[in-house]
């Protein structure tokens, strides 16, 4: 039996007319049934046909053309597939190559190679029609905006409702939520904190999901909430198939165009706080990030909190005393709410009592220490042969240089140059002997001069490349030195390991590295792997990232050392434990304040006494 699939498409404008997409699907299914074909799949979408971009069902159909899944594609008409000439020819080429058939049921015929010219013309006409239609729509929008016409707003805009006469009204319950967002922002709460407060109070979006920080930021920045409509900010370009942001001098701004959700004063106050926060954030991270987007990090999307299940995000801060830039990965729940222990909420949230939202007590991961930990594990688990890798890398670089040996080409060009000079000399001799006339000599001489000039240009280019090659030889020596003595291979090994890791689950005292073994070996069914195959590595690190507990342990080490050596000074303890002197002095000061150690002076010297209990119980 012939296997058939159905492709149906309507633009959103067409779909609104008498359920056009539903009707198109019914017609296609009826056609397949009439032909006594087997319907194996449907590709149905509501998208514009001017481009294939964003059309997931068309992309799936285009990919399935390469599979032995069906024999015939059934469509209503050619423009249902696309209105773009190039996309049409790409589709037809794959259709013919894979020996599939296309049946257009409105014409009751199969597409054949003889139809190529006609269908090509149809595609061009359809594309031109769409281009003209796009121009008319853009022009109509521009005229409406210029004359201050109705505000175009979808039904999805939170806080507003479109009435039958196309006017806009407030949804008071939602407007009250937005007012609270503005009030909190004006009171110096950040968008992330506002999101946490709303979640704690059970406030949700229309789809039942909690408001995110970005949702709140978009609402606060939107001037529509103070009744101001800004029209003409974006323009759709048919040829590039992109929505382009227009310059501000092309916008049309109309105050009091829709009902006000908040006053202009409150709107300005909230947005001023947003600007201040953005300015401060830029100042803090300017020493580390170049450009708007620093790019995706190796650990992005891999770190997961083992306590609450949230992802870990990368954050940048400055060390208080030195101003040093520190990169840390922190649990999202902690970033939004703070700690559970002792309800150490984020500073802003301490001003608001949270009852329903929990914090997270997991550790923060110092990026440098984390990479050192992973590097150590990588080298011990995978036995990276540094010397072997260095030899292989240098061998590859030298092979590339050898393949680019330009000396034979330079010698050949030099020989051509020498031959032309000899021809020029012979030409002069023939002129002097009267064999050539002045006119013939001039023409020949001009031809040889042009050839000589071209050859000289070619020779200069080759010699320049050859000089660069000599420089590359010097660079290879430097690269070899860096590979042998630097940590490039170690870092590359960690990066390679991270690519194979599916996720890293973080716990207060250890990490779990989960590997997707099926992905690594190209097996899609994990049941094919033996059950004994390990897909998780556990890395213990005690209190490496638990800084508070780490400080407690460091103080305990000092206490133990003073028990054994009561005459030790701070510099002796620092030397013994490998700490800095200032760090040791600070730890000893804290121990004294806690009543755990006490110094007894005896003339110019003295000794330390370790007290059995703290000051509270002493």
């Amino acid at each position: 039996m012939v296997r058939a699939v159905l492709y149906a498409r309507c633009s959103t404008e067409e779909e609104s007319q008498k359920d056009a997409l539903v009707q198109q699907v019914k017609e296609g299914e009826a056609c397949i049934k009439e032909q006594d074909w087997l319907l194996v799949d449907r590709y149905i979408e509501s998208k514009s046909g001017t481009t294939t971009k964003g059309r997931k069902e068309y992309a799936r159909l285009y990919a399935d053309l390469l599979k032995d899944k069906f024999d015939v594609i059934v469509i209503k008409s050619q423009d249902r597939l696309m209105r773009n000439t190039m996309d049409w020819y790409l589709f037809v080429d794959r259709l013919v190559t894979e020996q599939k058939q296309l049946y257009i049921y409105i014409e009751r015929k199969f597409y054949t190679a003889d139809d190529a010219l006609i269908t090509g013309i149809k595609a061009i006409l359809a594309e031109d029609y769409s281009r003209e239609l796009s121009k008319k729509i853009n022009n109509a929008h521009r005229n409406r905006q210029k004359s201050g016409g109705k505000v175009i707003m979808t039904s999805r805009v939170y806080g507003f409702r479109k009435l039958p006469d196309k006017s806009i009204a407030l949804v008071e319950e939602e407007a009250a939520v937005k007012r609270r967002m503005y009030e909190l922002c004006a009171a110096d709460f950040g968008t992330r904190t506002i999101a946490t407060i709303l979640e704690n109070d059970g406030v949700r979006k229309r789809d039942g999901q909690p408001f995110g920080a970005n949702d709140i930021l978009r609402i606060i920045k939107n001037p529509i909430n103070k009744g101001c409509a800004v029209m003409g900010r974006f323009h759709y370009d048919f040829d590039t198939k992109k929505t382009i942001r227009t310059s501000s001098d092309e916008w049309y701004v109309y105050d009091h165009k829709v009902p006000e959700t908040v006053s202009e004063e409150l709107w300005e106050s909230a947005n001023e706080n947003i600007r201040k926060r953005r300015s401060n954030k830029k100042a803090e991270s300017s020493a580390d990030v170049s450009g708007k987007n620093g790019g995706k990090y190796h650990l992005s999307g891999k770190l997961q909190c083992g306590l609450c299940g949230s992802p870990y995000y990368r954050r940048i801060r400055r060390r208080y005393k030195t101003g040093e830039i520190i990169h840390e990965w922190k649990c999202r729940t902690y970033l939004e709410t703070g700690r559970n222990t002792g309800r150490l909420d984020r500073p802003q949230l301490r001003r608001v009592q949270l009852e329903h939202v929990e914090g997270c007590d997991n550790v923060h991961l110092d990026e440098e220490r984390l990479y050192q930990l992973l590097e150590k594990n990588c080298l011990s688990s995978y036995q990276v042969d540094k010397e072997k890798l260095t030899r292989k890398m240098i061998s590859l670089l030298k092979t590339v240089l050898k393949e680019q040996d330009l000396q034979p080409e330079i010698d050949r060009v030099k020989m051509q140059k020498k031959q032309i000079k000899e021809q020029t000399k012979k030409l002069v001799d023939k002129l002097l002997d009267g064999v050539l006339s002045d006119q013939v000599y001039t023409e020949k001489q001009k031809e040889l001069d042009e050839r000589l000039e071209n050859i000289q240009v070619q020779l200069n280019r080759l010699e320049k490349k050859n000089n660069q090659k000599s420089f590359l030889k010097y660079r290879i020596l430097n690269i070899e030195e860096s590979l042998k003595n630097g940590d490039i291979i170690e870092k590359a090994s960690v990066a390679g390991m991270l690519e194979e890791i599916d996720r890293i689950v973080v716990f207060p005292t250890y990490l779990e590295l989960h590997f997707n073994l099926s992905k690594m070996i190209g097996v899609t069914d994990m049941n094919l792997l033996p059950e004994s195959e390990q897909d998780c590595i556990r890395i213990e690190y005690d209190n490496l990232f638990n800084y508070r507990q780490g400080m407690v342990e460091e103080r305990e080490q000092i206490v133990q050392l003073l028990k054994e050596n009561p005459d030790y000074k701070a510099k002796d303890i620092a030397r013994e434990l490998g700490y800095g002197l200032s760090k040791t002095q600070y730890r000893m000061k804290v121990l004294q304040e806690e009543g755990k150690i006490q110094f007894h002076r005896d003339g110019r010297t003295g000794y330390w006494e370790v007290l059995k209990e703290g000051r509270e119980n002493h």
Side-chain angles (χ1 to χ4, degrees), residues 437-599:
S437 65
D438 290 345
Q439 183 179 355
V440 174
Y441 169 78
T442 302
E443 291 175 357
K444 289 291 183 183
Q445 183 63 45
K446 183 179 179 181
E447 181 184 336
L448 290 173
D449 287 344
E450 288 176 355
R451 287 175 59 193
L452 187 63
E453 185 178 350
N454 291 335
I455 285 175
Q456 187 61 50
V457 170
Q458 187 179 359
L459 184 61
N460 292 341
R461 187 175 67 252
L462 289 170
E463 288 178 340
K464 184 178 179 180
K465 281 188 177 180
N466 212 34
N467 291 335
Q468 290 175 343
K469 182 186 163 187
S470 300
F471 174 72
L472 283 174
K473 288 181 179 178
Y474 173 73
R475 283 282 294 123
I476 285 178
L477 293 174
N478 288 337
I479 291 170
E480 187 172 12
E481 186 67 22
S482 298
L483 290 172
K484 287 180 178 178
N485 302 321
D487 59 353
I488 296 174
I489 289 178
E490 287 82 354
K491 287 184 177 179
S493 301
V494 173
M497 182 178 73
L498 286 173
E499 288 182 5
E500 304 297 343
I501 291 174
D502 192 42
R503 71 186 190 281
I504 301 174
V505 184
V506 182
F507 293 91
T509 58
Y510 64 93
L511 294 175
E512 284 183 354
L513 276 59
H514 293 263
F515 295 85
N516 188 335
L517 293 181
S518 59
K519 178 181 173 184
M520 290 168 64
I521 65 175
V523 177
T524 56
D525 187 356
M526 283 297 291
N527 295 326
L528 297 177
L529 295 173
E531 292 183 5
S532 60
E533 199 75 59
Q534 186 179 7
D535 64 347
C536 175
I537 295 177
R538 178 165 168 154
I539 303 177
E540 303 278 353
Y541 49 70
D542 296 325
N543 292 310
L544 177 65
F545 299 107
N546 192 335
Y547 306 111
R548 293 179 183 274
Q549 186 60 35
M551 287 188 288
V552 171
E553 291 183 357
E554 288 170 359
R555 292 199 292 270
E556 288 176 355
Q557 287 179 320
I558 293 173
V559 169
Q560 186 61 36
L561 205 57
L562 288 176
K563 277 183 181 180
E564 300 169 0
N565 306 277
D567 59 337
Y568 263 20
K569 297 180 175 61
K571 63 179 181 180
D572 300 318
I573 296 173
R575 183 188 67 250
E576 189 86 15
L577 298 178
Y579 299 159
L581 181 59
S582 61
K583 176 180 177 178
T584 305
Q585 290 172 333
Y586 177 76
R587 297 285 185 270
M588 293 176 74
K589 179 183 176 183
V590 172
L591 287 168
Q592 283 181 287
E593 291 172 350
E594 290 177 346
K596 294 183 177 179
I597 61 174
Q598 184 177 351
F599 185 73

Side-chain angles (χ1 to χ4, degrees), residues 58-110:
Y58 174 80
R60 188 165 71 88
L61 172 65
Y62 191 66
D64 287 349
L65 275 168
L66 300 174
K67 303 174 185 177
D68 185 22
K69 182 177 178 179
F70 55 81
D71 307 302
V72 179
I73 302 170
V74 176
I75 61 173
K76 178 180 181 180
S77 59
Q78 180 186 334
D79 65 350
R80 294 304 90 195
L81 276 171
M82 72 278 294
R83 294 176 181 270
N84 182 284
T85 312
M86 184 182 72
D87 289 335
W88 167 253
Y89 279 121
L90 288 172
F91 175 84
V92 168
D93 178 66
R94 180 169 291 190
L95 180 81
V96 174
T97 303
E98 298 302 319
Q99 298 181 340
K100 302 288 197 299
Q101 290 183 294
L102 178 66
Y103 186 78
I104 303 173
Y105 69 76
I106 200 171
E107 298 178 14
R108 296 292 175 179
K109 60 175 290 187
F110 286 97

Side-chain angles (χ1 to χ4, degrees), residues 147-165:
S147 62
K150 296 284 186 183
V151 175
I152 302 298
M153 186 181 292
T154 68
S155 58
R156 296 189 300 272
V157 179
Y158 189 81
F160 293 98
R161 179 175 63 250
K162 190 189 297 184
L163 300 178
D165 63 353

